Amino acid sequence: MYKFRYYVRPLEIVACGKYRTSCWYCPSSMYARNLDDNRDAFYALAGSVPIWEWDEVGESFVIVEVPEGHKAILRHDSKKPMRKRYVVEEVYPISPEDWAYIASNFANPGRWAKEVVVVDF
């Protein structure tokens, strides 16, 4: 789930409050998917995608920069200090199956077409 928030930086996308990526810093296309309670996958579709967070003193830090065409698996442990709570499990090229899934479900305009409902009064 994504929420749009305005802070010092314009338009930040916050994924469940665990990680942050910014359209201001990241003029690229990405796809994020929750794998389980503690793991998420980030896909850099066009351009690299920096995944970042703020530490306890308000300093931002990059967790990982996902290269274009790659997928990063991140693990999150909210009990650890901010800079230690994120682990990059792996970064590897996006598989053809993942590309097909993303294109079919999110880039296919037929999936997003609105139904026209005619109401007579």
Side-chain angles (χ1 to χ4, degrees):
M1 174 179 217
Y2 292 100
K3 297 177 183 174
F4 294 98
R5 298 183 181 179
Y6 292 90
Y7 295 104
V8 176
R9 300 177 180 109
L11 188 57
E12 293 172 349
I13 300 174
V14 180
C16 304
K18 287 193 275 189
Y19 318 99
R20 305 187 198 292
T21 186
S22 171
C23 292
W24 178 259
Y25 291 120
C26 179
S28 62
S29 295
M30 66 167 288
Y31 168 64
R33 190 175 97 188
N34 179 257
L35 302 175
D36 57 42
D37 288 344
N38 300 311
R39 293 181 328 129
D40 299 281
F42 288 87
Y43 301 75
L45 307 176
S48 65
V49 175
I51 309 299
W52 59 277
E53 181 57 281
W54 284 299
D55 64 16
E56 293 84 354
V57 296
E59 295 291 323
S60 65
F61 65 97
V62 174
I63 300 165
V64 64
E65 182 144 348
V66 187
E68 178 177 331
H70 286 71
K71 168 183 177 178
I73 307 294
L74 275 65
R75 179 173 294 280
H76 172 260
D77 183 350
S78 61
K79 296 176 183 152
K80 292 185 177 180
M82 193 59 78
R83 288 184 181 255
K84 295 185 180 193
R85 72 174 53 173
Y86 305 101
V87 174
V88 180
E89 289 188 346
E90 51 189 325
V91 176
Y92 54 93
I94 299 172
S95 71
E97 294 80 16
D98 281 341
W99 278 114
Y101 175 81
I102 293 165
S104 173
N105 287 286
F106 303 105
N108 179 352
R111 294 241 185 213
W112 299 96
K114 292 183 178 182
E115 287 186 37
V116 176
V117 178
V118 178
V119 178
D120 290 324
F121 290 99

